[in-house]
Amino acid sequence: LPISTAQTSLTKNLTTTRSMTVDKSAVTHFGGDSEPDVGETIDFTIRVTNTGNTTISNIAVADTMLTGQLACGSGNATIPSLSPGQHVDCVATYALTQSDLNSGNVHNEATATATSLTVTDTLDVQLDRRAAMEVDKTSSGATDTDDPPNGTVDAGDQLGYQYLITNTGNVTLTNLVIVDDQIALDATNVVCRTQSPKNVVATLAPGGTAVCT
């Protein structure tokens, strides 16, 4: 008897998923004292991972704080192609500014963009704010205010003082006023600046000094 052969075809639709993640991390380099100062650096790494099941091409990585600095393996801020499960690290180094230290925080956002796909991640690096200052008080000696001068120091003559204020912290100090329990300090008998009121140091940057007399 003849044998007949039957053929069956099967078609299965595959679902394509395009997805990726962005993870941002940081390593600080704050010197031997482990405290941040202007000019010290943070190394940022932005990891872009293809979490889908299809290749993603031409991924642009952006970070407004690190514009022009990102290197994503190929040397620029573009990832040409990323296979499923694959990741690429983009790296850059950021130098701290006085504004960063004054705020006590470095905040920024990284974004990876491909066709019809945008993913972001934010990161905050907390900074240790050290508000500190020193005051060095010295005397310029007594002034004979008698009229005419009598050549001696007696009641009513003036004793001059000088106050050297130094910002020994890492943040900008504002509105500094000296209080001396031996002298009634006010805008008329102490001078820290030419503007009025004269007994106020309006702003003092880290390492800066101001003199009041």
Side-chain angles (χ1 to χ4, degrees):
L1 296 176
I3 299 174
S4 62
T5 302
Q7 293 183 341
T8 303
S9 63
L10 176 65
T11 301
K12 185 176 182 180
N13 294 323
L14 300 178
T15 301
T16 299
T17 302
R18 297 177 73 255
S19 63
M20 61 182 174
T21 60
V22 173
D23 296 295
K24 189 168 187 178
S25 60
V27 176
T28 59
H29 302 279
F30 292 164
D33 59 3
S34 298
E35 295 184 342
D37 291 300
V38 172
E40 293 185 324
T41 59
I42 303 174
D43 289 340
F44 286 103
T45 298
I46 301 169
R47 173 165 291 188
V48 182
T49 304
N50 184 342
T51 56
N53 62 5
T54 187
T55 299
I56 302 174
S57 302
N58 298 321
I59 304 170
V61 183
D63 188 318
T64 56
M65 197 179 72
L66 303 172
T67 300
Q69 301 182 53
L70 285 175
C72 299
S74 59
N76 56 42
T78 300
I79 302 172
S81 179
L82 205 57
S83 301
Q86 184 184 10
H87 72 262
V88 169
D89 289 339
C90 304
V91 297
T93 298
Y94 176 75
L96 293 177
T97 67
Q98 188 58 59
S99 178
D100 296 326
L101 295 173
N102 290 343
S103 68
N105 178 60
V106 174
H107 171 85
N108 67 330
E109 181 177 282
T111 301
T113 304
T115 302
S116 303
L117 186 61
T118 299
V119 184
T120 63
D121 186 36
T122 60
L123 179 66
D124 288 273
V125 178
Q126 302 299 321
L127 304 176
D128 181 21
R129 301 176 73 253
R130 293 181 289 107
M133 63 179 174
E134 294 179 353
V135 178
D136 183 22
K137 178 182 177 181
T138 57
S139 174
S140 57
T143 301
D144 184 355
T145 58
D146 295 312
D147 188 15
N150 60 14
T152 61
V153 177
D154 49 24
D157 287 343
Q158 295 182 348
L159 184 61
Y161 291 104
Q162 177 174 284
Y163 307 87
L164 175 64
I165 309 168
T166 304
N167 184 342
T168 57
N170 66 355
V171 296
T172 301
L173 303 176
T174 58
N175 298 322
L176 309 180
V177 179
I178 294 179
V179 175
D180 191 321
D181 61 1
Q182 298 296 316
I183 303 173
L185 293 179
D186 58 35
T188 63
N189 60 20
V190 63
V191 176
C192 301
R193 61 179 186 173
T194 57
Q195 301 96 324
S196 182
K198 296 182 179 181
N199 65 328
V200 175
V201 178
T203 182
L204 194 61
T209 60
V211 176
C212 302
T213 57

